[in-house]
Amino acid sequence: MASPQGSRAPLEFGGPLGAAALMLLLPATMFHLLLVARSGPARLLGPPPYLPGPEVLWSPQMLLLWFTWLGLQAALYLLPARKVAEGQELKDKSRLRYPINGFQALVLTALLVGLAVSAGLPLGALPEMLLPLAFAATLTAFIFSLLLYLKALVAPASALAPGGNSGNPIYDFFLGRELNPRIWSFDFKYFCELRPGLIGWVLINLALLMQEAELRGSPSLAMWLVNGFQLLYVGDALWHEEAVLTTMDITHDGFGFMLAFGDLAWVPFTYSLQAQFLLHHPQPLGLPMASVICLINAVGYYIFRGANSQKNTFRKNPSDPRVAGLETIPTATGRQLLVSGWWGVVRHPNYLGDLIMALAWSLPCGVSHLLPYFYLLYFTALLVHREARDEQQCLRKYGLAWHEYCRRVPYRILPYVY
Ligand SMILES: NC(=O)C1=CN([C@@H]2O[C@H](COP(=O)(O)OP(=O)(O)OC[C@H]3O[C@@H](n4cnc5c(N)ncnc54)[C@H](OP(=O)(O)O)[C@@H]3O)[C@@H](O)[C@H]2O)C=CC1
Ligand SMILES: CC(C)CCC[C@@H](C)[C@H]1CC=C2C3=C(CC[C@@]21C)[C@@]1(C)CC[C@H](O)C[C@@H]1CC3
């Protein structure tokens, strides 16, 4: 199996061994978190309260519910979109087209769920179904990745991703071989990245809030904050859906187990960890502390959105008055790099904002347990690793200009620290 570039791309994630370990470790961590969040001691580093048997994990009804959810999101994806955007130029100089209707899918899902709840759907019962649902999602991710791997065997070389075609089946299965696997115009990676997982995450959060209201009479302030912050984050991602077309996930990485599991299982079932924790471990939170936490989230969001919008506006139209005055470095590709504004503070200001928000999502859970801080810890590791991968890609793209950018903006994520 030759690399699409002729020469083999360097192995990432620790090569085949690292990929095999991650394929076991990631689902194990997700189930560990689901079990521990509902246990009394809620110890991140302790053993799980029990090991669930097949009768707890396997449920045909939950598999059906999961497929109904995927089917609903796929149907919403296929609805007419307010805009159809073009992706980055591919190796064969063509550009794929993508529907921009993610926010519409979120609103329509909210309407449908609202109608179903008012007709008697017991959404508050969902938290009890998380284990078999997570199992259904994990199983789907494994089978789906296998089908994607097989599909790539008949794909033309130009459709393969730069990584993920090492010739080692475990590594390639993990990273994904085909860059943009599609059936007709249905793009699997783009669909999975933003719809079932992200919208599923806020739906699980809402179910946990409703269950808390049933148990304790009303949702706690901490639960409101976690729900509000994460809804803002998901709403923002879907509102700015087009921006995902320039992320490395879409332009560089193949679609394999890493993204299939990450999008379909990891995001909904682990990103909702704080709300899961709060349902089983209510935390007192006064208004003054809640205001401070809201301020932290607002600062994080301001940096995150400011940085992302500045780069996206600049990439779309460098003469836009909002970015035209910013200082830039020319590169041999004809593109320029921003060296003032947010992108002159650190080389990844959007990651800094994202991490500040991650802190604000954990703080409502108090400081008695490490468990709700799992997201912050995992996300720091993910972004540090992602930043290093992006750095390599930028160095390959921009060469000397990237060196100059690193000299002018020496810190990566946190000014004067990292
Ligand atoms: N919650 C979660 O689990 C995750 C959230 N995220 C968030 O998603 C968002 C997107 O992140 P991600 O895809 O990693 O990457 P970025 O949006 O940070 O994009 C990196 C790219 O931006 C361009 N770029 C870098 N520096 C400059 C500069 N100085 N001037 C102009 N362009 C520059 C380069 O591409 P080019 O030059 O080709 O345009 C580079 O490859 C972030 O806000 C991140 O925090 C990401 C991962 C997971
Ligand atoms: C579990 C694995 C080790 C890694 C899985 C990674 C995925 C969960 C993430 C890879 C890139 C992502 C992005 C987002 C969500 C998480 C995944 C899918 C966003 C959609 C989150 C919202 C932001 O506004 C945009 C992000 C793009 C990248």
Short mmCIF file of all heavy atoms in Angstrom, two decimals, residues 177-209:
data_model
loop_
_atom_site.label_atom_id
_atom_site.label_comp_id
_atom_site.label_asym_id
_atom_site.label_seq_id
_atom_site.Cartn_x
_atom_site.Cartn_y
_atom_site.Cartn_z
N ARG A 177 -7.84 6.06 6.40
CA ARG A 177 -7.12 6.09 5.13
C ARG A 177 -7.67 7.13 4.17
O ARG A 177 -6.92 7.85 3.53
CB ARG A 177 -7.19 4.69 4.47
CG ARG A 177 -6.54 3.60 5.32
CD ARG A 177 -6.26 2.39 4.47
NE ARG A 177 -5.40 2.75 3.37
CZ ARG A 177 -5.41 2.16 2.19
NH1 ARG A 177 -6.24 1.18 1.95
NH2 ARG A 177 -4.60 2.56 1.23
N GLU A 178 -8.98 7.20 4.07
CA GLU A 178 -9.54 8.12 3.06
C GLU A 178 -9.75 9.48 3.70
O GLU A 178 -10.22 9.58 4.84
CB GLU A 178 -10.86 7.54 2.52
CG GLU A 178 -11.21 8.10 1.16
CD GLU A 178 -12.46 7.45 0.56
OE1 GLU A 178 -12.80 6.31 0.93
OE2 GLU A 178 -13.09 8.10 -0.29
N LEU A 179 -9.44 10.53 2.95
CA LEU A 179 -9.52 11.88 3.52
C LEU A 179 -10.97 12.35 3.69
O LEU A 179 -11.36 12.83 4.75
CB LEU A 179 -8.76 12.86 2.61
CG LEU A 179 -8.63 14.30 3.12
CD1 LEU A 179 -7.92 14.35 4.46
CD2 LEU A 179 -7.90 15.17 2.10
N ASN A 180 -11.76 12.20 2.65
CA ASN A 180 -13.15 12.68 2.71
C ASN A 180 -14.12 11.62 2.23
O ASN A 180 -14.74 11.77 1.18
CB ASN A 180 -13.32 13.93 1.81
CG ASN A 180 -12.35 15.02 2.17
OD1 ASN A 180 -12.40 15.56 3.27
ND2 ASN A 180 -11.43 15.34 1.27
N PRO A 181 -14.24 10.51 2.96
CA PRO A 181 -15.14 9.46 2.46
C PRO A 181 -16.57 9.96 2.32
O PRO A 181 -17.11 10.59 3.23
CB PRO A 181 -15.04 8.35 3.53
CG PRO A 181 -14.45 8.99 4.72
CD PRO A 181 -13.66 10.18 4.27
N ARG A 182 -17.13 9.68 1.16
CA ARG A 182 -18.50 10.15 0.86
C ARG A 182 -19.27 9.07 0.13
O ARG A 182 -18.67 8.24 -0.58
CB ARG A 182 -18.44 11.35 -0.11
CG ARG A 182 -17.99 12.61 0.53
CD ARG A 182 -17.99 13.77 -0.44
NE ARG A 182 -17.99 15.00 0.33
CZ ARG A 182 -18.52 16.14 -0.04
NH1 ARG A 182 -19.13 16.23 -1.20
NH2 ARG A 182 -18.48 17.20 0.74
N ILE A 183 -20.59 9.11 0.27
CA ILE A 183 -21.46 8.38 -0.65
C ILE A 183 -22.34 9.45 -1.27
O ILE A 183 -23.05 10.16 -0.55
CB ILE A 183 -22.27 7.29 0.06
CG1 ILE A 183 -21.32 6.18 0.52
CG2 ILE A 183 -23.36 6.73 -0.85
CD1 ILE A 183 -21.96 4.95 1.08
N TRP A 184 -22.25 9.59 -2.57
CA TRP A 184 -22.82 10.74 -3.28
C TRP A 184 -22.34 12.01 -2.59
O TRP A 184 -21.15 12.17 -2.39
CB TRP A 184 -24.35 10.64 -3.38
CG TRP A 184 -24.75 9.48 -4.24
CD1 TRP A 184 -24.47 9.35 -5.59
CD2 TRP A 184 -25.42 8.29 -3.85
NE1 TRP A 184 -24.96 8.15 -6.05
CE2 TRP A 184 -25.55 7.49 -5.02
CE3 TRP A 184 -25.94 7.81 -2.66
CZ2 TRP A 184 -26.16 6.24 -5.00
CZ3 TRP A 184 -26.56 6.58 -2.66
CH2 TRP A 184 -26.67 5.81 -3.81
N SER A 185 -23.24 12.88 -2.16
CA SER A 185 -22.73 14.12 -1.57
C SER A 185 -22.70 14.04 -0.05
O SER A 185 -22.40 15.02 0.63
CB SER A 185 -23.61 15.30 -2.01
OG SER A 185 -24.91 15.08 -1.50
N PHE A 186 -23.02 12.85 0.51
CA PHE A 186 -23.05 12.73 1.98
C PHE A 186 -21.62 12.50 2.49
O PHE A 186 -21.02 11.46 2.26
CB PHE A 186 -23.96 11.58 2.41
CG PHE A 186 -24.30 11.61 3.87
CD1 PHE A 186 -25.51 12.16 4.30
CD2 PHE A 186 -23.42 11.12 4.82
CE1 PHE A 186 -25.82 12.21 5.66
CE2 PHE A 186 -23.73 11.17 6.17
CZ PHE A 186 -24.93 11.71 6.58
N ASP A 187 -21.10 13.53 3.18
CA ASP A 187 -19.72 13.47 3.66
C ASP A 187 -19.71 12.95 5.10
O ASP A 187 -20.15 13.63 6.03
CB ASP A 187 -19.10 14.87 3.60
CG ASP A 187 -17.61 14.84 3.84
OD1 ASP A 187 -17.20 14.44 4.94
OD2 ASP A 187 -16.85 15.19 2.92
N PHE A 188 -19.18 11.73 5.29
CA PHE A 188 -19.27 11.08 6.61
C PHE A 188 -18.48 11.83 7.70
O PHE A 188 -18.94 11.99 8.82
CB PHE A 188 -18.78 9.63 6.53
CG PHE A 188 -19.67 8.76 5.71
CD1 PHE A 188 -19.23 8.21 4.51
CD2 PHE A 188 -20.96 8.49 6.12
CE1 PHE A 188 -20.07 7.41 3.75
CE2 PHE A 188 -21.81 7.68 5.37
CZ PHE A 188 -21.36 7.15 4.17
N LYS A 189 -17.28 12.28 7.35
CA LYS A 189 -16.45 12.90 8.38
C LYS A 189 -17.04 14.24 8.82
O LYS A 189 -17.16 14.52 10.01
CB LYS A 189 -15.01 13.09 7.85
CG LYS A 189 -14.05 13.55 8.91
CD LYS A 189 -12.59 13.41 8.51
CE LYS A 189 -12.23 14.09 7.24
NZ LYS A 189 -10.78 14.25 7.06
N TYR A 190 -17.42 15.04 7.86
CA TYR A 190 -18.00 16.35 8.17
C TYR A 190 -19.29 16.19 8.97
O TYR A 190 -19.53 16.90 9.93
CB TYR A 190 -18.25 17.07 6.83
CG TYR A 190 -18.95 18.39 6.91
CD1 TYR A 190 -18.34 19.49 7.49
CD2 TYR A 190 -20.22 18.56 6.35
CE1 TYR A 190 -18.98 20.73 7.53
CE2 TYR A 190 -20.86 19.78 6.38
CZ TYR A 190 -20.24 20.86 6.98
OH TYR A 190 -20.87 22.07 7.02
N PHE A 191 -20.11 15.21 8.58
CA PHE A 191 -21.36 14.95 9.29
C PHE A 191 -21.07 14.57 10.75
O PHE A 191 -21.64 15.13 11.68
CB PHE A 191 -22.13 13.82 8.58
CG PHE A 191 -23.26 13.25 9.40
CD1 PHE A 191 -24.42 14.00 9.61
CD2 PHE A 191 -23.17 11.99 9.97
CE1 PHE A 191 -25.47 13.48 10.38
CE2 PHE A 191 -24.21 11.47 10.73
CZ PHE A 191 -25.36 12.22 10.94
N CYS A 192 -20.13 13.61 10.93
CA CYS A 192 -19.88 13.11 12.29
C CYS A 192 -19.21 14.16 13.17
O CYS A 192 -19.46 14.23 14.37
CB CYS A 192 -19.00 11.86 12.24
SG CYS A 192 -19.87 10.45 11.58
N GLU A 193 -18.35 14.97 12.59
CA GLU A 193 -17.57 15.93 13.38
C GLU A 193 -18.48 16.90 14.15
O GLU A 193 -18.17 17.28 15.27
CB GLU A 193 -16.64 16.72 12.44
CG GLU A 193 -15.78 17.76 13.14
CD GLU A 193 -14.33 17.34 13.30
OE1 GLU A 193 -13.99 16.18 13.03
OE2 GLU A 193 -13.53 18.19 13.73
N LEU A 194 -19.61 17.28 13.54
CA LEU A 194 -20.40 18.36 14.16
C LEU A 194 -21.80 17.97 14.61
O LEU A 194 -22.41 18.71 15.37
CB LEU A 194 -20.51 19.54 13.18
CG LEU A 194 -19.25 20.38 13.03
CD1 LEU A 194 -19.40 21.34 11.88
CD2 LEU A 194 -18.92 21.16 14.30
N ARG A 195 -22.37 16.89 14.09
CA ARG A 195 -23.80 16.69 14.35
C ARG A 195 -24.12 15.71 15.49
O ARG A 195 -24.45 16.16 16.58
CB ARG A 195 -24.55 16.27 13.08
CG ARG A 195 -24.22 17.04 11.81
CD ARG A 195 -24.61 18.49 11.93
NE ARG A 195 -24.25 19.23 10.72
CZ ARG A 195 -25.07 19.50 9.72
NH1 ARG A 195 -26.31 19.11 9.74
NH2 ARG A 195 -24.64 20.19 8.67
N PRO A 196 -24.05 14.38 15.24
CA PRO A 196 -24.60 13.47 16.27
C PRO A 196 -23.93 13.63 17.63
O PRO A 196 -24.60 13.62 18.66
CB PRO A 196 -24.34 12.07 15.71
CG PRO A 196 -23.68 12.22 14.41
CD PRO A 196 -23.43 13.65 14.12
N GLY A 197 -22.60 13.83 17.63
CA GLY A 197 -21.88 13.90 18.90
C GLY A 197 -22.09 15.21 19.63
O GLY A 197 -22.43 15.23 20.82
N LEU A 198 -21.90 16.33 18.92
CA LEU A 198 -22.01 17.64 19.58
C LEU A 198 -23.45 17.89 20.04
O LEU A 198 -23.69 18.32 21.16
CB LEU A 198 -21.60 18.76 18.62
CG LEU A 198 -20.11 19.08 18.44
CD1 LEU A 198 -19.94 20.39 17.71
CD2 LEU A 198 -19.35 19.13 19.73
N ILE A 199 -24.42 17.60 19.17
CA ILE A 199 -25.82 17.85 19.54
C ILE A 199 -26.23 16.82 20.61
O ILE A 199 -26.96 17.14 21.55
CB ILE A 199 -26.75 17.83 18.30
CG1 ILE A 199 -26.27 18.89 17.28
CG2 ILE A 199 -28.20 18.11 18.70
CD1 ILE A 199 -27.07 18.97 15.99
N GLY A 200 -25.70 15.60 20.48
CA GLY A 200 -25.97 14.56 21.49
C GLY A 200 -25.45 14.98 22.86
O GLY A 200 -26.08 14.73 23.89
N TRP A 201 -24.30 15.63 22.87
CA TRP A 201 -23.70 16.10 24.13
C TRP A 201 -24.65 17.04 24.86
O TRP A 201 -24.95 16.85 26.05
CB TRP A 201 -22.38 16.78 23.77
CG TRP A 201 -21.67 17.58 24.81
CD1 TRP A 201 -21.82 17.52 26.17
CD2 TRP A 201 -20.64 18.55 24.56
NE1 TRP A 201 -20.96 18.40 26.77
CE2 TRP A 201 -20.22 19.05 25.81
CE3 TRP A 201 -20.04 19.04 23.40
CZ2 TRP A 201 -19.23 20.03 25.93
CZ3 TRP A 201 -19.04 20.01 23.53
CH2 TRP A 201 -18.65 20.49 24.78
N VAL A 202 -25.19 18.05 24.16
CA VAL A 202 -26.07 19.00 24.86
C VAL A 202 -27.41 18.35 25.22
O VAL A 202 -28.04 18.72 26.20
CB VAL A 202 -26.27 20.34 24.10
CG1 VAL A 202 -25.03 21.17 24.12
CG2 VAL A 202 -26.77 20.14 22.69
N LEU A 203 -27.79 17.35 24.44
CA LEU A 203 -29.05 16.66 24.77
C LEU A 203 -28.87 15.83 26.06
O LEU A 203 -29.74 15.81 26.93
CB LEU A 203 -29.48 15.75 23.61
CG LEU A 203 -30.84 15.09 23.77
CD1 LEU A 203 -31.95 16.13 23.81
CD2 LEU A 203 -31.12 14.11 22.62
N ILE A 204 -27.73 15.18 26.18
CA ILE A 204 -27.44 14.41 27.41
C ILE A 204 -27.40 15.38 28.60
O ILE A 204 -27.97 15.11 29.67
CB ILE A 204 -26.11 13.62 27.27
CG1 ILE A 204 -26.29 12.50 26.24
CG2 ILE A 204 -25.67 13.05 28.62
CD1 ILE A 204 -25.03 11.73 25.92
N ASN A 205 -26.73 16.53 28.41
CA ASN A 205 -26.69 17.54 29.48
C ASN A 205 -28.10 17.94 29.91
O ASN A 205 -28.40 18.04 31.10
CB ASN A 205 -25.97 18.80 28.98
CG ASN A 205 -24.47 18.71 29.13
OD1 ASN A 205 -23.96 17.77 29.73
ND2 ASN A 205 -23.76 19.68 28.61
N LEU A 206 -28.97 18.16 28.93
CA LEU A 206 -30.34 18.58 29.23
C LEU A 206 -31.08 17.48 29.99
O LEU A 206 -31.81 17.75 30.96
CB LEU A 206 -31.07 18.91 27.91
CG LEU A 206 -32.54 19.27 28.04
CD1 LEU A 206 -32.70 20.61 28.78
CD2 LEU A 206 -33.21 19.38 26.66
N ALA A 207 -30.85 16.23 29.58
CA ALA A 207 -31.52 15.11 30.26
C ALA A 207 -31.05 15.03 31.72
O ALA A 207 -31.84 14.76 32.63
CB ALA A 207 -31.20 13.81 29.53
N LEU A 208 -29.76 15.30 31.93
CA LEU A 208 -29.22 15.27 33.30
C LEU A 208 -29.83 16.40 34.13
O LEU A 208 -30.16 16.22 35.31
CB LEU A 208 -27.69 15.37 33.26
CG LEU A 208 -26.99 14.12 32.70
CD1 LEU A 208 -25.62 14.45 32.15
CD2 LEU A 208 -26.87 13.03 33.76
N LEU A 209 -30.02 17.56 33.49
CA LEU A 209 -30.65 18.69 34.18
C LEU A 209 -32.10 18.34 34.55
O LEU A 209 -32.56 18.59 35.67
CB LEU A 209 -30.60 19.92 33.27
CG LEU A 209 -31.17 21.23 33.78
CD1 LEU A 209 -30.33 22.41 33.27
CD2 LEU A 209 -32.60 21.47 33.37
#
